[in-house]
Amino acid sequence: MLNPDLVGRTFTSAESVTVTEQAIRKFAEVIGETNFDVAPPTFTISITLDQSQSLLQDSGLDWTRVVHGEQKFVLNRAIVPGDVFICSSTIESARNVAGNEIVTVRSDLHADTQLVVSTWSTLVVRA
Amino acid sequence: MTKIVEGLEISEETYVINRALLVKYANASGDQNPIHQDEAFAKSVGLPDVIAHGMLTMALAGKFLSDISGPENVLEFSAKFIKPVVVPANTDVSLIISGKVGEISDGRAKIELLAMCNEVKVLGVAKGVIKLQ
């Protein structure tokens, strides 16, 4: 059970992440994309995954029962090589539906003050 | 390219998923959860076999979306993971993605996506919003 006091908890990375063409290429090649000038639409997850998981690490969630329920991306522009991002993740909600706990974490990538991508990960903790 | 109009059906594409691709995706995304690579581990937690990363299935659906608009014109993309894509050893699993153009307004089009594997729908309410050129 997620500690309800943790809803609203935010973690902002101290260090920025620089997007390399190599990282885009590596991700793109898996899905057969040959345009390496812009990142594929779900590339953001390779930047945000670690942080969104560490945000929940000591939250009381039973990780052995966690499954990925849903994912959403809103892109204000595509990610390109050379982008430098600060990533912040927030536990946006935690609710109980029919005994399953549903937790949503939002992660934002900012380049300076510009919000470039937001992504929402919904995790389901099976009863 | 075909003009994007409401109701247009976008023909299906087949994407092959196998164990080698799961390893490549794990390395590209940083998601090294052993349920996507280690058969003994996957079975020990009650799965039928190794399963694909839901985010790999979504990334492939994202490629389908990118092919409609160009990757720079994808504005929104969301999906639910409703059934796992099971990937047995030495097997090529086919993921079949098709789409349909939904509402168009303000130079944007909604695209509804269907992702099927072994005749089972694996993504729920998969949809994107693209910027029209």
Side-chain angles (χ1 to χ4, degrees):
Chain A
M1 181 74 196
L2 184 99
N3 177 352
D5 294 344
L6 293 179
V7 175
R9 178 201 247 192
T10 295
F11 180 78
T12 302
S13 59
E15 291 184 10
S16 59
V17 174
T18 301
V19 177
T20 62
E21 197 207 311
Q22 190 189 12
I24 290 177
R25 179 185 288 265
K26 196 170 172 183
F27 195 98
E29 281 177 349
V30 177
I31 57 172
E33 177 61 75
T34 53
N35 179 346
F36 309 129
D37 297 332
V38 294
T42 66
F43 175 79
T44 298
I45 202 78
S46 66
I47 303 174
T48 59
L49 184 70
D50 270 358
Q51 184 169 305
S52 58
Q53 287 187 348
S54 37
L55 181 69
L56 291 168
Q57 210 50 258
D58 57 351
S59 62
L61 278 193
D62 179 357
W63 281 96
T64 62
R65 294 179 183 280
V66 171
V67 294
H68 193 177
E70 197 171 341
Q71 190 74 30
K72 177 181 181 179
F73 298 88
V74 172
L75 301 100
N76 295 316
R77 67 162 171 80
I79 293 174
V80 294
D83 268 333
V84 179
F85 290 126
I86 290 290
C87 176
S88 59
S89 297
T90 303
I91 302 175
E92 208 169 64
S93 67
R95 60 206 168 88
N96 204 297
V97 177
N100 294 319
E101 197 178 5
I102 299 177
V103 178
T104 301
V105 175
R106 187 186 82 238
S107 298
D108 293 329
L109 296 182
H110 280 90
D112 291 322
T113 56
Q114 185 198 18
L115 175 62
V116 177
V117 181
S118 295
T119 188
W120 287 259
S121 298
T122 301
L123 304 175
V124 180
V125 190
R126 290 182 189 274
Chain B
M1 186 185 283
T2 320
K3 187 171 159 48
I4 302 294
V5 291
E6 202 167 322
L8 177 72
E9 307 264 357
I10 303 160
S11 21
E12 66 182 40
E13 287 285 339
T14 299
Y15 302 88
V16 170
I17 300 177
N18 52 35
R19 293 279 182 90
L21 193 73
L22 301 190
V23 173
K24 281 177 73 178
Y25 183 77
N27 292 336
S29 67
D31 185 347
Q32 298 286 354
N33 187 328
I35 61 170
H36 308 302
Q37 295 188 43
D38 181 340
E39 188 171 321
F41 182 87
K43 288 178 174 169
S44 78
V45 295
L47 293 168
D49 205 324
V50 162
I51 61 168
H53 308 72
M55 288 305 300
L56 169 59
T57 305
M58 190 171 180
L60 292 165
K63 169 68 165 67
F64 184 88
L65 197 57
S66 293
D67 284 346
I68 301 168
S69 62
E72 68 283 11
N73 293 313
V74 175
L75 303 174
E76 290 180 28
F77 183 29
S78 58
K80 292 187 180 191
F81 306 104
I82 55 174
K83 289 285 177 198
V85 172
V86 177
V87 185
N90 307 312
T91 305
D92 283 343
V93 176
S94 292
L95 174 72
I96 300 168
I97 307 210
S98 56
K100 188 177 178 183
V101 180
E103 188 192 330
I104 296 180
S105 63
D106 296 330
R108 295 167 169 226
K110 288 184 183 167
I111 310 287
E112 297 152 20
L113 300 169
L114 182 65
M116 304 288 292
C117 188
N118 294 323
E119 290 166 30
V120 173
K121 191 172 159 182
V122 292
L123 296 179
V125 286
K127 57 184 193 293
V129 175
I130 58 169
K131 187 162 68 185
L132 296 175
Q133 293 308 287

